[in-house]
Amino acid sequence: MPDVREVRGTSVNIPTLDGSADAYLAHPDDNAAHPAVLFYMDAIGLRPRLKEMADRLAGAGYTVLVPNLLYRHGPAPVVELPDFIDAAHRPALFEQLMPIIQELTPELAMRDAEAYLSWLAAYPQAADGPVGTTGYCMGAGLALRTAGTYPERVAAAAGFHGARLATDAPDSPHLLADRVTAELYFGHADQDASLPPEQIERLDKALTEAGVRHRSELYTGAHHGYTMTDTAAYDAEATERHWAALLDLFDRAL
């Protein structure tokens, strides 16, 4: 990858079939077109930490869009967020967030994904061709789902500390494996109750049987949310490992 570049970050609004999604956009400040990345937020939502992550990815040479997936409930943050989220904050925070998140059905999420992908395709500083996507927590499932729903538009997809990637539900993300043409990478937290070993095994089996190019790694000692510096789950070593894997994937595939 090239040296880290100066980055321009700005707020944008993405027209969707259901309104307008507020989003954060970051790209190298050079007026050139760069490979595009659709960055899927975690359950806590679009906030300063995700903007920092988008800036770092943009500094490596990408045009990065981070939409507020919960825009139907207002601009981010859709609920009030503390500066730092520890175990004491989580119950009350997720009591507010979970009903909102559950309203974002796979159908709605993929309808929105088409709007985000189309916006990137028309954006002058996004290079022509398929995009990369990366997702965190609930966003990991959406990255996989987007790769399976729009295979011709996604060349690489990654998921980190993903939740519920291979459940028994009839709409589980792993069931789209046979439609995926992108190269995939997953960095699982081994201390993560939202993705137990049997789901990791089921996901790998589905991807392998479908012939999907993929790597699935277990980050020993990492907890759900390990990339998020504004939470008690943050793990610096696991986060740097995630960056190395993500940039390796995008550098090769985009």
Side-chain angles (χ1 to χ4, degrees), residues 13 18-23 41 45-46 67-79 97 100 103 116:
N13 289 289
D18 295 321
S20 179
D22 52 306
M41 67 185 215
L46 180 55
N68 167 25
L69 304 180
L70 307 179
Y71 71 88
R72 291 174 179 83
H73 293 266
V78 296
V79 301
L97 282 171
I100 297 171
E103 288 184 24
Y116 305 145

Side-chain angles (χ1 to χ4, degrees), residues 43-44 70 94 96-105 138:
I44 300 169
L70 307 179
F94 279 87
Q96 296 177 77
L97 282 171
M98 287 313 297
I100 297 171
I101 290 167
Q102 287 166 358
E103 288 184 24
L104 184 67
T105 63
M138 73 177 208

Side-chain angles (χ1 to χ4, degrees), residues 18-217:
D18 295 321
S20 179
D22 52 306
Y24 181 71
L25 177 73
H27 54 77
D29 192 11
D30 60 5
N31 294 314
H34 298 275
V37 174
L38 176 56
F39 184 124
Y40 278 119
M41 67 185 215
D42 63 352
I44 300 169
L46 180 55
R47 62 195 190 282
R49 172 55 181 163
L50 297 195
K51 294 177 182 181
E52 290 172 4
M53 294 172 74
D55 286 349
R56 178 163 173 176
L57 193 49
Y62 298 95
T63 292
V64 186
L65 182 68
V66 192
N68 167 25
L69 304 180
L70 307 179
Y71 71 88
R72 291 174 179 83
H73 293 266
V78 296
V79 301
E80 188 175 351
L81 298 176
D83 292 334
F84 185 80
I85 299 163
D86 58 19
H89 289 107
R90 290 185 73 86
L93 178 60
F94 279 87
E95 187 177 353
Q96 296 177 77
L97 282 171
M98 287 313 297
I100 297 171
I101 290 167
Q102 287 166 358
E103 288 184 24
L104 184 67
T105 63
E107 293 75 17
L108 286 180
M110 290 304 97
R111 195 161 81 193
D112 290 342
E114 201 284 328
Y116 305 145
L117 292 169
S118 294
W119 191 92
L120 280 168
Y123 186 64
Q125 287 186 241
D128 293 338
V131 309
T133 182
T134 184
Y136 302 82
C137 175
M138 73 177 208
L142 294 176
L144 173 56
R145 201 179 290 282
T146 302
T149 305
Y150 302 103
E152 72 288 354
R153 300 171 80 168
V154 180
F160 299 94
H161 46 83
R164 300 179 57 79
L165 295 177
T167 70
D168 294 326
D171 59 358
S172 177
H174 80 287
L175 298 175
L176 292 170
D178 62 353
R179 298 190 56 194
V180 172
T181 58
E183 182 177 350
L184 307 185
Y185 176 89
F186 293 97
H188 306 301
D190 77 338
Q191 306 294 310
D192 191 348
S194 68
L195 193 74
E198 59 268 22
Q199 285 198 39
I200 295 174
E201 183 179 348
R202 187 182 294 149
L203 174 63
D204 285 342
K205 184 173 185 286
L207 295 174
T208 299
E209 290 180 351
V212 178
R213 293 164 297 154
H214 72 283
R215 241 170 99 206
S216 179
E217 296 186 324

